[in-house]
Amino acid sequence: MGYSIAEKIIKEHIVSGEMVKGTDNGLKIDQTLTQDATGTMAYLEFEAMGVPRVKTERSVAYIDHNTLQTGFENADDHRFIQTVCKKHGIYFSRPGNGICHQVHLERFSRPGKTLIGSDSHTPTGGGIGMLAIGAGGLDVAVAMGGGAYYITMPNIVKVELKGELKPWVSAKDIILKVLEIMSVKGGVSKIIEYAGEGVKTLSVPQRATITNMGAELGATTSIFPSDETTREFLKAQGREEDYVELKADEDAVYDEHIIIDLNELEPLAACPHSPDNIKPIASLAGQKIDQVCIGSCKNSSYADLMTVAHILKGKTVHPDVSLSIAPGSKQVLTMLSENGALADMIAAGARILESACGPCIGMGQSPNSAGISLRTFNRNFLGRSGTKDGQIYLVSPETAAASALTGVFTDPTTLGEGYKVEMPEKFLINDNMIIEPAPVEEMDNIKVLRGPNIKEFPASSEMEDSIKATCSLKVEDNITTDHIMPAGAKILPLRSNIPAISQHCFTVCDTEFPNRAKTLGSSIIVGGSNYGQGSSREHAALAPLYLGVKAVLVKSFARIHRANLINAGILPLEFINESDYEKISLFDELELPNIKAEILEGDTVTLLNKTTGETIKAKCELTQRQKDIAICGGLLNYTKLNG
Ligand code: MIC
Ligand code: SF4
C-alpha cells in the first residue's frame, strides 16, 4: 500500500507510535515558530524547562500581533523575546518584518520538514509541502527543547482539484468552498491533502492561502505536493537548495475523497459570524458596505496585492468606505513600493498599515456600529473585530478591492478582462530585519530583559483523588477561543500577565464570570460541541486555570484547545449522552468522586450533580502520556519530572 504525502513526512519523523489511525504518535520537530502574543508564555515555559539552547534545525520568533504600543507592555514583551532569542539560539524577526506565516513561507519554509508553531495558522507552511501544525506554546517550548510533538494519527482527506480557476476567482474562493462542504468542525482529527490537475495551476502563496484556512476546518493540518512550482518559488526566494519533490504514491489510500472543479467556482463570502457560513458574492451584490480590510497572514502576498493595486489604479475608494491595506511582509511592501503599486493604492485612497496582523486580531480598524466590513482574513467570529455588532464578511482580495471602489458588494467577475500577475523570477531578498542568535560561547553574557508586566504563569498542582466543584458557566455550541479569551488592542498587552488577563476571560459571554469563578474557588465549565475552536492561544486554558477551573465538560472539543487544557492540567471531559448537557445548570454543585482512579483505569468518569441528585457519565479519552500529564497537573510539571 502506498503513502500519502502527510504519511510520508510522518513516517520520516516518527519517534514513537506506529502511524495507526487514532493512536498517539510522537514526531521529531525540525522547525518551530512563535509570534509575540503567544511567544512570551512559550519562552517563559522554555526557560522553566532549563534547556540552554534550542535543539531544532530552525526556531524563529516573530513580532507581528502586539505591534500597537499604547503603553510599555508590548514593547517590554518584544524586548524580552528578543533577548531570550539571542541567548537561546532562536532567530528573531523584528517588528516591521511582517506576519509570521507570510515571512516563514518566504524565508524559512522547507518541503518535507515538520514545523509546529504557537499559532493556529501555522499550516500555512503546508502550501510549500511542510507538515506544519498549530500548537499551544508549551508544546512549542517542549519541541524547542528537543522533545517530540504528539499527534493522534488523523484520517487523511484527499481534496482533488480539477480544471483551472476562471478570471477573478481566487484561491480564497477554493478554501471557502471547502469550508462550505466540510464546515468548521468537519476537519477535526483530519489532515487535508490537496491533489489533482488543478494543483499545478496554483502558485505557492495561493496554495498557502488554502492551507492557512484549513485551520478554520478544525483540521490538524493541510498540505500540498511539492513540485516544479514549489521549486520556482524557492528559486525566486534564493533558496532552490531547499527544494525536494513530494508527491503521494499512486496507490495511496485516503479516508475521504472530495472533488472540486475549479472551473465551476465563483467568488464567495463567509458571512457573519462563522467562516463556514458561505454565500456567493453574486447573491449579496448591491448591498451597501462600510469598510474593506486587505491583508493578514493570507491574501497579503505580492501577487494578491499586485492584483489589488491593478483594480484600484486610477480610481478612488468610494466615499462611504474605509479601505485599509497591510502587506504581509517587508519583502512584499518593499517590492510594491519599488514598482509603483503602492503609489497606486495610496493614490486611490487606501490607508496603508504596517506589515502586521493589525485589524485581523482587533488591533485597530474596528468597524463602525453594525458596520459591514469585507475582509480578506480568515476569522469572522463575533466581536473579534472589536465592534460587537460589526458584520464581518471574509472574501478574496479581488472581491474586496472591487467592492471598495463601488461601496457595495461587487462580484469581481464583472470587472471584465482578467488580470494575471506574473510571479517574479526573483523576490527582493533582504533579511536585515532577522536577527541571528548569539554564538554558543557568548550566550552566558546575554541578559534576558523582563518588564514589570511579565508575570509567572499559574502553577497547577497534582490531581486530587476526587474533585468537588461548582458549575461556574454554561455555554452553547461553537464557542471560540475569542469568546474564552478575547483579543483586541486593550486585552492583548496583558498576554504575559495571566492574573490581569484572566479578568477578561469569557466576558464576551458573561461579564460576571471571572469574579464568580474566582469566588467559587473550584469550578467546572459546561459547553456544547466544537468547544474551543479557533486560535491556539493557551491563555484560553491558563486563565481558567488561574480562576480555579478544574474541568471542562462539553459535547466535543476543537483539537488545539483540548491539548492546551491537558497541558495546563485541566480535565477535558465529554458527555457520553449529549442530552445530559441539559442536566446541569449554572451554580449546580458537582463532584467527580473517584476521578484519579477512573482516569488511571479507563476512559469513563462519573460526575455527580449534588444539586439535582443525577449521575452523569462522561468520556475522558487520554493516551497514557496524557494521563500521566493530567495526574502531574500539566505538561510543565510532567516535563520537569520526565526530562
Ligand atoms: C488568531 O488568528 O486568532 C491568532 C491571534 O493568530 C491566534 C493566536 C493568538 O491568540 O495569539 C491563533 O490563531 O492561534
Ligand atoms: Fe495574525 Fe490574523 Fe493570521 Fe492570526 S489569523 S496570525 S491574527 S493575521
Side-chain angles (χ1 to χ4, degrees):
M1 190 188 81
Y3 291 112
S4 64
I5 300 170
E7 285 168 328
K8 286 185 184 184
I9 304 180
I10 292 173
K11 202 161 157 278
E12 222 170 79
H13 288 84
I14 203 154
V15 291
S16 75
E18 304 285 331
M19 220 167 82
V20 174
K21 303 273 153 72
T23 63
D24 218 20
N25 291 267
L27 302 183
K28 175 184 171 297
I29 296 303
D30 302 320
Q31 297 191 348
T32 63
L33 71 77
T34 58
Q35 38 91 336
D36 47 341
T38 54
T40 39
M41 277 296 141
Y43 294 114
L44 285 168
E45 289 153 348
F46 179 76
E47 284 186 311
M49 282 166 15
V51 180
R53 284 295 266 204
V54 290
K55 296 190 176 149
T56 45
E57 290 174 13
R58 178 82 76 187
S59 285
V60 191
Y62 295 90
I63 306 294
D64 52 1
H65 281 61
N66 287 345
T67 54
L68 198 66
Q69 292 159 226
T70 51
F72 61 90
E73 294 88 348
N74 291 345
D76 280 2
D77 285 358
H78 299 168
R79 208 176 47 157
F80 165 69
I81 295 176
Q82 180 166 350
T83 48
V84 165
C85 288
K86 190 113 208 159
K87 191 176 182 77
H88 296 292
I90 301 145
Y91 286 74
F92 178 77
S93 172
R94 295 167 62 185
N97 197 40
I99 306 175
C100 55
H101 307 305
Q102 175 67 24
V103 179
H104 207 83
L105 190 71
E106 292 167 357
R107 306 304 307 139
F108 297 114
S109 59
R110 293 183 65 173
K113 296 284 180 183
T114 52
L115 163 72
I116 67 165
S118 61
D119 191 279
S120 64
H121 292 105
T122 303
T124 313
I128 208 161
M130 294 192 97
L131 191 81
I133 304 177
L138 196 41
D139 283 320
V140 176
V142 169
M144 287 192 288
Y149 176 63
Y150 289 81
I151 56 165
T152 308
M153 187 61 200
N155 283 340
I156 316 236
V157 182
K158 176 178 181 178
V159 177
E160 188 177 340
L161 304 177
K162 292 197 157 157
E164 195 169 353
L165 291 170
K166 289 187 296 216
W168 302 113
V169 185
S170 181
K172 183 64 157 279
D173 300 311
I174 303 178
I175 185 62
L176 292 178
K177 186 72 192 173
V178 180
L179 273 152
E180 182 181 50
I181 297 169
M182 293 185 73
S183 90
V184 288
K185 47 184 180 185
V188 177
S189 307
K190 295 177 190 169
I191 291 180
I192 318 290
E193 195 164 305
Y194 289 85
E197 279 297 289
V199 166
K200 66 174 187 307
T201 68
L202 301 171
S203 67
V204 168
Q206 284 178 311
R207 297 174 187 183
T209 294
I210 295 169
T211 57
N212 172 293
M213 269 191 94
E216 276 53 67
L217 298 165
T220 304
T221 190
S222 305
I223 191 162
F224 270 83
S226 167
D227 57 10
E228 276 312 302
T229 308
T230 319
R231 184 207 291 276
E232 288 304 316
F233 177 81
L234 283 166
K235 192 171 164 205
Q237 290 288 355
R239 306 198 283 120
E240 194 179 0
E241 67 282 3
D242 289 345
Y243 173 74
V244 289
E245 190 192 12
L246 271 180
K247 59 179 181 197
D249 292 331
E250 292 288 333
D251 54 348
V253 178
Y254 293 91
D255 300 284
E256 274 175 64
H257 188 177
I258 293 173
I259 300 176
I260 295 183
D261 187 346
L262 301 183
N263 299 294
E264 283 176 9
L265 283 188
E266 58 179 321
L268 299 170
C271 304
H273 299 285
S274 182
D276 61 357
N277 185 13
I278 308 295
K279 286 197 183 133
I281 297 292
S283 72
L284 302 162
Q287 284 184 43
K288 211 170 155 354
I289 65 168
D290 301 291
Q291 187 191 46
V292 174
C293 299
I294 297 175
S296 90
C297 55
K298 71 264 93 199
N299 293 147
S300 63
S301 69
Y302 172 77
D304 281 324
L305 296 192
M306 285 302 290
T307 308
V308 167
H310 170 79
I311 297 172
L312 298 179
K313 191 177 168 109
K315 316 237 167 64
T316 300
V317 173
H318 188 276
D320 297 340
V321 174
S322 161
L323 167 67
S324 69
I325 302 179
S329 66
K330 171 169 152 283
Q331 179 181 82
V332 173
L333 180 54
T334 316
M335 288 176 73
L336 298 177
S337 67
E338 289 194 351
N339 71 13
L342 185 66
D344 293 335
M345 294 172 173
I346 298 170
R351 302 166 66 181
I352 306 297
L353 307 179
E354 70 173 316
S355 295
C357 299
C360 181
I361 185 62
M363 277 279 182
Q365 307 298 320
S366 300
N368 53 297
S369 296
I372 297 198
S373 178
L374 271 58
R375 300 178 163 210
T376 64
F377 305 168
N378 48 22
R379 292 193 168 143
N380 58 350
F381 302 143
L382 182 71
R384 182 176 162 101
S385 67
T387 300
K388 202 161 176 196
D389 58 0
Q391 305 293 309
I392 312 299
Y393 291 76
L394 308 175
V395 299
S396 70
E398 291 82 352
T399 300
S403 306
L405 293 177
T406 57
V408 293
F409 278 93
T410 302
D411 182 338
T413 59
T414 58
L415 290 175
E417 204 190 320
Y419 175 72
K420 192 158 168 56
V421 181
E422 287 309 321
M423 284 302 266
E425 267 178 34
K426 193 129 202 71
F427 288 98
L428 196 145
I429 297 159
N430 178 357
D431 289 332
N432 65 340
M433 293 289 275
I434 296 171
I435 301 180
E436 292 196 7
V440 182
E441 55 282 10
E442 282 171 27
M443 61 177 280
D444 288 344
N445 304 333
I446 292 160
K447 189 169 167 358
V448 174
L449 302 173
R450 282 162 230 276
N453 185 45
I454 299 179
K455 299 274 188 283
E456 298 286 296
F457 40 84
S460 53
S461 43
E462 216 185 291
M463 191 189 292
E464 308 274 346
D465 293 335
S466 67
I467 295 175
K468 285 199 174 92
T470 310
C471 174
S472 55
L473 186 73
K474 187 169 179 189
V475 286
E476 307 290 316
D477 289 350
N478 289 322
I479 286 295
T480 73
T481 49
D482 279 296
H483 292 106
I484 307 174
M485 201 58 263
K490 287 195 205 95
I491 304 176
L492 276 167
L494 305 174
R495 281 288 180 96
S496 330
N497 186 339
I498 298 294
I501 205 168
S502 300
Q503 283 309 313
H504 301 274
C505 185
F506 265 118
T507 46
V508 178
C509 305
D510 181 343
T511 49
E512 298 306 314
F513 172 74
N515 288 337
R516 182 193 310 136
K518 226 168 157 186
T519 313
L520 288 170
S522 168
S523 75
I524 292 181
I525 294 173
V526 174
S529 64
N530 200 23
Y531 178 91
Q533 67 163 322
S535 152
S536 68
R537 60 191 73 150
E538 56 190 337
H539 304 77
L542 294 177
L545 173 72
Y546 176 80
L547 296 172
V549 174
K550 301 285 182 255
V552 178
L553 172 59
V554 299
K555 293 181 185 167
S556 67
F557 284 102
R559 179 187 67 90
I560 307 179
H561 184 60
R562 181 175 185 275
N564 283 340
L565 288 174
I566 298 169
N567 288 351
I570 297 180
L571 285 174
L573 309 178
E574 286 165 276
F575 289 105
I576 293 179
N577 295 320
E578 289 199 355
S579 56
D580 286 346
Y581 170 84
E582 306 302 335
K583 295 186 180 158
I584 308 178
S585 309
L586 186 64
F587 291 122
D588 280 359
E589 294 297 337
L590 308 173
E591 188 176 348
L592 294 155
N594 205 12
I595 185 70
K596 195 167 178 178
E598 283 180 329
I599 296 247
L600 282 171
E601 278 157 24
D603 51 20
T604 306
V605 302
T606 315
L607 180 125
L608 303 180
N609 187 338
K610 312 268 270 192
T611 307
T612 63
E614 306 228 41
T615 301
I616 293 169
K617 289 281 179 193
K619 272 188 299 188
C620 187
E621 287 176 339
L622 301 176
T623 62
Q624 189 51 50
R625 175 176 170 274
Q626 289 171 331
K627 287 184 181 190
D628 295 341
I629 293 173
I631 302 289
C632 295
L635 181 57
L636 201 58
N637 295 353
Y638 172 87
T639 310
K640 280 185 192 153
L641 285 173
N642 296 280

